[in-house]
Amino acid sequence: MVAGSLMVVTGLAFLQHLGLITGQIAGLALLVSIWTGIAFGPVFFVLNLPFYWVALRRMGWVFTLKTVLAVGLVSVFSALRPEVLTFAHVEPLTGAVLGGVISGAGLLAIFRHRASLGGVGIVALYLQERTGFRAGWTQLLVDLVIFALALMTLPAGAVAYSLAGAVVLNAVIAINHRRDRYIAM
């Protein structure tokens, strides 16, 4: 859980450095942070609060508690990250792709431990378990809404790079996240 959270925060660091966003609640939190000036971590944590009830009802106490832990870790690590990791230069497409790959791998680590980073991830995992519809594809659909909001705030080029990163992130999840691949609990 800690390693997955650190990977997600590292992927987000690339995006934040470039003024890019991602999808899901993290993307919405980045946009709210841009709009309000409030740091990403607290916004991310607060935006996830309503989803814990859904998680509890649909996924159980263990999943919900692990998810609260993962969201809390990402919130805290993202607040600490500027003190320990910054970038001088990152080419936008490279940063978007690396951000997507690293965050996707981090999410897989979190999913592997039967948790999520809240928000859309809770709904996506629930749908995957109930219907078989891949979590990554659900998240990609929601991301389209987030990117429509981003077009109102960010330059079109930044949204295009952000979309590339989100596609990579969701492809990593869609290709690699399958319940039948996990044999240990």
Side-chain angles (χ1 to χ4, degrees):
M1 295 282 284
V2 170
S5 298
L6 285 170
M7 288 191 296
V8 168
V9 169
T10 302
L12 287 171
F14 280 102
L15 302 179
Q16 287 178 303
H17 170 74
L18 295 166
L20 306 179
I21 64 151
T22 189
Q24 307 160 59
I25 294 299
L28 184 58
L30 286 169
L31 284 173
V32 170
S33 183
I34 291 167
W35 296 334
T36 65
I38 300 171
F40 168 81
V43 173
F44 181 67
F45 191 82
V46 168
L47 287 177
N48 270 294
L49 291 175
F51 292 96
Y52 297 140
W53 182 80
V54 174
L56 184 58
R57 290 186 44 93
R58 300 291 186 201
M59 306 296 278
W61 278 103
V62 173
F63 175 88
T64 304
L65 291 174
K66 287 180 178 181
T67 296
V68 171
L69 173 65
V71 169
L73 287 171
V74 167
S75 297
V76 169
F77 291 160
S78 68
L80 299 174
R81 193 264 319 149
E83 302 299 322
V84 297
L85 178 66
T86 60
F87 303 102
H89 173 75
V90 179
E91 191 277 325
L93 183 57
T94 300
V97 169
L98 285 173
V101 168
I102 295 168
S103 292
L107 281 166
L108 285 171
I110 290 167
F111 290 170
R112 166 62 182 86
H113 293 282
R114 303 215 24 92
S116 79
L117 282 181
V120 176
I122 292 170
V123 176
L125 286 174
Y126 173 74
L127 287 175
Q128 180 169 304
E129 289 193 11
R130 290 291 186 183
T131 69
F133 190 73
R134 294 283 180 94
W137 299 130
T138 298
Q139 292 172 319
L140 186 57
L141 292 172
V142 172
D143 287 350
L144 294 175
V145 174
I146 301 297
F147 286 101
L149 290 171
L151 280 171
M152 296 180 217
T153 303
L154 302 173
V159 175
Y161 287 125
S162 298
L163 185 58
V167 168
V168 169
L169 182 153
N170 285 299
V172 167
I173 294 169
I175 291 166
N176 293 290
H177 183 64
R178 290 185 14 203
R179 247 176 96 178
D180 60 327
R181 287 191 178 158
Y182 305 134
I183 56 173
M185 289 306 271

